[in-house]
């Protein structure tokens, strides 16, 4: 006999963070981006079927009617598609917002997964990405799709919004320090700033970033950590020229280089957010993380690029 579906059922959805090693912003214009999953930080959503919808989260707690419009619209669309009268969502996260780590894509992914789970509906990756795209389009206007993909999958990838993705195979042995500048950057503003820059000055700077990504792909295949570090710094300079860095982020990049990093740059949308710094060995990486934590740049992580 088939087990009957319990009447009171909870749906659960997860998503993790992401780091863009190189290619943010250029990816919006059709260039490749290299991205790594940040598997140690998550958004979790629990969904319950109710007659009138509520959201419980650190950002907003209350009835759906009063939620920020982008969240309300998204959830109403999901409810409609799944034929749900109402849903009670509890969203918890250790992924900081406005940090360039994919929090908005992760929130959308975890809500979508929880609602589909609640309705016992399978959620193929393509559908999950479609829903994240809906959310991200209203949050930041022109998403390339890299955040949705990377917060939903587990391997480092090269992402291209036209050609799709390729899993990265690399012999590289290195450590990435990631820390929050405590300046909260808006991806929407950053993407709009770059669009204005391109309108005024053309594509040269964006294409330059795209070239760095192609070289970085080669260095990853060859295991050339020193070359990769140099490119990260050059990419940071190009992003600064596009107007999406921040003085605090630039100071952290300088500090990282002084601490022996092979390269350092902003990651994600910019205008604040996180800085990433590349090291050959774990000890120096941990030392910088400690220094940054003492200075209040937190949260932070050390990511082993070889073992994830
Ligand atoms: C944000 O993490 C990455 C950007 O390139 C925007 C996008 O690709 O959607 C700035």
């Amino acid at each position: 006999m088939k087990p009957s579906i319990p009447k009171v059922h909870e749906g659960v959805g997860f998503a993790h963070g992401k780091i863009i090693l190189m290619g943010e912003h250029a990816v919006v214009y059709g260039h490749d981006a290299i991205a790594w999953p940040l598997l140690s930080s998550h958004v979790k959503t629990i969904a319950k079927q109710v007659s009138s919808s509520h959201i419980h989260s650190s950002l907003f707690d209350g009835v759906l009617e009063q939620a920020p419009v982008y969240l309300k619209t998204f959830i109403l669309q999901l409810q409609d598609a799944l034929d749900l009268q109402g849903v009670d969502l509890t969203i918890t996260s250790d992924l900081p917002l406005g940090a360039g780590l994919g929090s908005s894509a992760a929130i959308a992914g975890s809500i979508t997964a929880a609602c589909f789970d609640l309705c016992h509906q399978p959620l193929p990756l393509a559908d999950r990405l479609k829903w994240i795209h809906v959310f991200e389009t209203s949050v930041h206007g022109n998403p390339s799709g890299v955040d949705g993909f990377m917060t939903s999958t587990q391997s480092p990838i090269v992402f291209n919004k036209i050609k799709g993705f390729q899993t990265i195979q690399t012999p590289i042995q290195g450590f990435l320090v990631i820390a929050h500048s405590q300046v909260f950057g808006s991806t929407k503003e950053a993407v709009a700033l770059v669009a204005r820059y391109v309108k005024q000055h053309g594509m040269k700077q964006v294409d330059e970033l795209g070239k760095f990504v192609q070289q970085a792909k080669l260095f990853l295949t060859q295991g050339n950590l020193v070359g990769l570090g140099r490119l990260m710094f050059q990419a940071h300079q190009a992003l600064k020229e596009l107007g999406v860095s921040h003085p605090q982020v630039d100071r952290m990049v300088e500090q990282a280089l002084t601490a022996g990093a092979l390269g350092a740059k902003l990651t994600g949308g910019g205008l604040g957010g996180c800085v990433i710094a590349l090291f050959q060995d774990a000890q120096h990486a941990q030392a910088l993380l400690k220094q940054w934590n003492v200075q209040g740049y937190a949260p932070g992580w050390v990511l082993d690029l070889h073992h994830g």
Side-chain angles (χ1 to χ4, degrees), residues 118-130:
L118 178 67
C119 298
H120 303 281
Q121 293 280 333
L123 180 60
L125 179 62
D127 289 353
R128 176 175 169 131
L129 297 182
K130 212 172 65 195

Side-chain angles (χ1 to χ4, degrees), residues 39 50 53 60 79 122-124 169 172 186 188 199 226 272 294 296 299:
L39 298 172
V50 288
S53 297
F60 171 79
Q79 281 184 200
L123 180 60
Q169 307 291 345
I172 217 127
S186 152
K188 183 177 183 163
K199 210 165 163 195
V226 173
V294 168

Side-chain angles (χ1 to χ4, degrees), residues 18 20 23-25 27-28 100 140 142-147 187 191 268-269:
K18 70 96 199 9
I20 297 186
E24 52 274 273
H25 290 291
V27 68
V28 172
H140 87 64
N142 188 14
S144 66
V146 65
D147 289 10
T187 301
V191 168

Side-chain angles (χ1 to χ4, degrees), residues 21-276:
L21 189 65
M22 217 175 287
E24 52 274 273
H25 290 291
V27 68
V28 172
Y29 295 84
H31 288 288
D32 290 349
I34 302 170
W36 242 261
L38 184 64
L39 298 172
S40 54
S41 279
H42 292 99
V43 178
K44 176 182 177 184
T45 300
I46 296 178
K48 292 181 195 154
Q49 202 160 346
V50 288
S51 50
S52 116
S53 297
H54 280 74
I55 300 174
H56 312 283
S57 74
S58 60
L59 257 191
F60 171 79
D61 202 312
V63 290
L64 183 64
E65 268 312 300
Q66 285 165 14
V69 71
Y70 61 90
L71 200 56
K72 179 176 149 183
T73 315
F74 178 67
I75 291 164
L76 287 176
Q77 279 175 286
L78 261 176
Q79 281 184 200
D80 212 33
L82 289 166
D83 211 11
L84 270 170
Q85 189 197 338
V87 69
D88 182 277
L89 298 171
T90 303
I91 306 163
T92 49
S93 173
D94 55 9
L95 199 59
L97 295 167
L101 300 179
S103 59
S104 68
I107 289 169
S110 77
I111 292 177
T112 306
C115 290
F116 272 73
D117 186 35
L118 178 67
C119 298
H120 303 281
Q121 293 280 333
L123 180 60
L125 179 62
D127 289 353
R128 176 175 169 131
L129 297 182
K130 212 172 65 195
W131 280 105
I132 297 175
H133 194 78
V134 168
F135 184 78
E136 285 226 288
T137 301
S138 66
V139 173
H140 87 64
N142 188 14
S144 66
V146 65
D147 289 10
F149 197 91
M150 201 69 265
T151 55
S152 304
T153 58
Q154 310 254 323
S155 310
I157 53 157
V158 173
F159 177 91
N160 184 290
K161 73 173 188 180
I162 300 147
K163 297 183 214 144
F165 75 97
Q166 251 177 292
T167 306
I168 296 171
Q169 307 291 345
T170 172
I172 217 127
Q173 309 260 1
F175 297 85
L176 212 56
V177 182
I178 306 139
H180 196 336
S181 64
Q182 283 304 307
V183 177
F184 294 83
S186 152
T187 301
K188 183 177 183 163
E189 235 174 81
V191 168
L193 257 177
V194 174
R196 272 205 297 281
Y197 183 98
V198 166
K199 210 165 163 195
Q200 273 175 18
H201 307 279
M203 282 289 289
K204 190 166 169 274
Q205 205 59 232
V206 170
D207 290 343
E208 189 77 0
L209 266 172
K211 276 190 213 145
F212 293 148
V213 179
Q214 293 312 314
Q215 285 172 38
K217 277 164 61 179
L218 195 69
F219 287 162
L220 277 171
T221 327
Q222 296 167 344
N224 184 346
L225 203 64
V226 173
L228 187 64
R230 197 177 58 239
L231 283 173
M232 282 171 65
F233 184 65
Q234 286 174 309
H236 182 72
Q237 298 308 316
L239 288 161
K240 198 169 154 180
E241 172 62 31
L242 286 172
V244 294
S245 191
H246 184 280
Q248 187 72 359
V249 166
D250 296 337
R251 269 195 292 279
M252 287 175 76
V253 167
E254 288 303 325
Q255 282 181 352
L257 298 178
T258 308
L262 299 171
K265 62 184 277 294
L266 67 84
T267 184
L271 297 177
C274 282
V275 172
I276 55 174

